[in-house]
Amino acid sequence: MPWRRKPVAWLEYWEGPVNRGAGFKTVLVYCVGPPKGKLCGHCGQIPLQDLPDWDWRDISAHLRCTACGTVGYVDTRLNWSEVIDFNKGIC
């Protein structure tokens, strides 16, 4: 079990294991750090196949921003554009 925890109480991490079978290939990661100063706002994508078999809470607590270098100050979201055709419209 990984030892790192979320850096501040106001961050909300997903719970449970990584679900790789739902058609998603990547996760969008947004930096909400650094802890002092203004919001970084850097974003990126991580392939689901590159993530370890940990819970989302543990994975999020270990992610480091490549722009500002803070660890754990992330907002992870599934990349819905891979499974939904937004050009199709609503019927």
Side-chain angles (χ1 to χ4, degrees), residues 4 7 10 15 19-21 24 26 29-30 37 46 48 51 53 56 65 67 72-73 81 83 86-87:
R4 190 179 299 269
W10 56 264
E15 297 285 334
N19 186 1
R20 291 180 170 89
F24 295 100
T26 59
V29 182
Y30 299 93
I46 299 176
L48 279 175
L51 296 177
D53 291 329
W56 277 113
C65 178
Y73 285 85
S81 64
V83 295
F86 291 105
N87 295 323

Side-chain angles (χ1 to χ4, degrees), residues 27-73:
V27 174
L28 301 175
V29 182
Y30 299 93
C31 179
V32 293
K36 298 176 184 174
K38 67 178 188 174
L39 178 72
C40 175
H42 184 248
C43 62
Q45 294 182 6
I46 299 176
L48 279 175
Q49 66 184 8
D50 292 349
L51 296 177
D53 291 329
W54 300 346
D55 286 343
W56 277 113
R57 176 181 295 263
D58 299 325
I59 292 171
S60 297
H62 281 82
L63 293 177
R64 180 181 61 87
C65 178
T66 56
C68 69
T70 57
V71 178
Y73 285 85

